[in-house]
Amino acid sequence: MTDFAATKACFHLPEGMVYLDGNSLGPLPKAATARMTQAMEAEWGDMLITGWNRGGRDGAGWMAQPTALGDRIGGLIGAEAGSVVLGDTLSIKVYQALASALELRPDRRVVISDSGNFPSDLYMADGLIRSLDKGHELRVVAPDEVEAAITDEVAAIMITEVDYRSGRKHDMAALTKKAHSVGALAIWDLAHSAGALEVDLSGAGADFAVGCTYKYLNGGPGAPAFIYVAPRHAKTARPALSGWLGHESPFAFDLDYRPGSGIERMRVGTPPVLAMAALECAMDIWDMTTMADVRAKSIDLTERFVKGIESTCPMLLLASPRDPAERGSQISFAFPDGYAAMQALIARGVIGDFRAPDIMRFGFTPLYVDEADVDRAVEIIADVMNNRLWDRPEYKRRARVT
Ligand SMILES: *Cc1c(COP(=O)(O)O)cnc(C)c1O
């Protein structure tokens, strides 16, 4: 069993704060500060350009980091070794995955996604379809209509497993199976899954997957995204963003593009070396646990939170599935003045976030949130809600980031 007190001790958590927003941005691993200094002084500072071949904590070179870290993340999401690579941002990885999938299904024109998806995924799909100009159609259906929408016109389904607003979780294995049964491909966005619950990409037969590392994985603001390509597509998936570092031989400087071997072809350009140094420290903490332990503890914490809020705050309406098996690692409540209520909570050290139009969202992250944190959060939320402490003009002014 994981020692969650030990994992919690690995994070810098401000005194007096209950941090329930690790689903948006994970906290700072304490070791990252020294590691970043080392990466800057000993590597960037003293190695300069030679760091590409000998930098990194293990001395394997900065150039090797995107696949080395990819394998470590792969271990948390049921990916085969050598099938995950880091780089760019999630929006870009969504574009890459969808572009490759559409090229693998040249006779089909329909992409299925759902209205619970994060808008950036839909925007990227829309932009790709416009650039391709081949008559593709992005069909956005209600989350519970995805399965029925998978017909033999469909080239790919592009689904975020866990809904960023409600936490509702799709059945990855079942939808992937349905997609394959009609000859379609399945792309999974794991933004709210990686580090939140057990994912088995290989077992589910997913074709592509993407995700970010700054949410549950705790890689830090602007940490790079990852992409998974199933080994069976590794040699046939064409990279649409054919940058030089995805080339078979970047330092041959050929004028023609030839995709690199396997997952390397999903690299685009120069990797974010400093950001990856911080992510390494986050991954060290993941080595102290298993996703089975994290999931079990996450369910305990979310159940405790729902019970606590429902018994004290009748004005808050549960907006997440009641059955923990049907949700990720967050709990959302609907409340018409949710924005102001969340600002009042933040002012009192309970950090969640707000998602329009009326969702108060709380993430539960067993690596650094424990039962005492949940109880303290419930107590403060009950005080704010029952005494209408949110009903003040300064809590109603919207900031740029909610
Ligand atoms: C957080 C999130 C994003 C954000 O994309 P970035 O390019 O990293 O800003 C995209 N898609 C989903 C599903 C997300 O949850």
Side-chain angles (χ1 to χ4, degrees), residues 12-47:
H12 172 77
L13 298 163
E15 196 57 43
M17 181 187 284
V18 179
Y19 192 66
L20 303 180
D21 213 355
N23 48 307
S24 251
L25 176 66
L28 171 69
K30 285 177 183 164
T33 311
R35 173 72 189 103
M36 289 295 275
T37 302
Q38 181 196 29
M40 287 203 264
E41 293 180 356
E43 297 182 35
W44 181 15
D46 291 337
M47 293 182 187

Side-chain angles (χ1 to χ4, degrees), residues 89-92 117-118 120-121 160 164 189 191-192 212 214-215:
T89 78
L90 176 49
S91 302
I92 288 171
N117 206 345
F118 189 78
S120 196
D121 295 34
T160 296
Y164 73 105
D189 188 326
H192 294 274
C212 50
Y214 51 80
K215 293 175 179 163

Side-chain angles (χ1 to χ4, degrees), residues 247-401:
H247 192 279
E248 182 183 58
S249 183
F251 287 88
F253 298 107
D254 288 337
L255 295 185
D256 295 323
Y257 182 80
R258 287 191 313 278
S261 70
I263 195 66
E264 296 270 359
R265 65 180 56 193
M266 290 299 161
R267 296 173 69 149
V268 182
T270 304
V273 172
L274 296 178
M276 288 190 295
L279 178 58
E280 266 175 11
C281 300
M283 297 315 296
D284 292 344
I285 304 172
W286 285 105
D287 289 344
M288 298 164 69
T289 188
T290 64
M291 282 314 304
D293 283 0
V294 168
R295 177 64 168 162
K297 179 87 185 280
S298 149
I299 290 174
D300 286 351
L301 294 175
T302 54
E303 288 288 272
R304 191 180 183 99
F305 184 70
V306 171
K307 200 162 150 237
I309 295 296
E310 289 196 321
S311 62
T312 53
C313 303
M315 70 296 281
L316 295 182
L317 218 65
L318 184 65
S320 296
R322 191 165 290 282
D323 177 357
E326 291 177 12
R327 65 184 187 232
S329 201
Q330 68 176 70
I331 294 294
S332 299
F333 283 97
F335 180 62
D337 283 289
Y339 181 79
M342 187 54 78
Q343 301 321 300
L345 292 178
I346 292 170
R348 287 162 181 80
V350 176
I351 316 294
D353 60 20
F354 172 78
R355 287 294 174 262
D358 61 354
I359 295 293
M360 297 172 71
R361 189 171 72 151
F362 303 93
F364 293 86
T365 46
L367 291 188
Y368 53 87
V369 169
D370 58 24
E371 287 83 356
D373 294 321
V374 171
D375 294 349
R376 190 169 147 69
V378 168
E379 197 181 302
I380 293 171
I381 295 168
D383 182 37
V384 164
M385 298 311 301
N386 290 303
N387 298 309
R388 292 181 64 94
L389 302 179
W390 53 266
D391 196 1
R392 298 169 61 129
E394 69 264 33
Y395 294 144
K396 296 179 185 176
R397 272 193 297 274
R398 298 269 170 128
R400 181 163 177 187
V401 175

Side-chain angles (χ1 to χ4, degrees), residues 139-153:
R139 229 172 251 173
V140 180
V141 302
D144 56 4
E145 288 166 5
V146 170
E147 180 158 14
I150 305 175
T151 62
D152 60 13
E153 303 171 275

Side-chain angles (χ1 to χ4, degrees), residues 171-194:
D171 185 337
M172 181 187 292
L175 291 180
T176 302
K177 195 166 165 209
K178 176 77 190 282
H180 290 171
S181 76
V182 299
L185 297 171
I187 303 164
W188 288 96
D189 188 326
L190 305 178
H192 294 274
S193 306

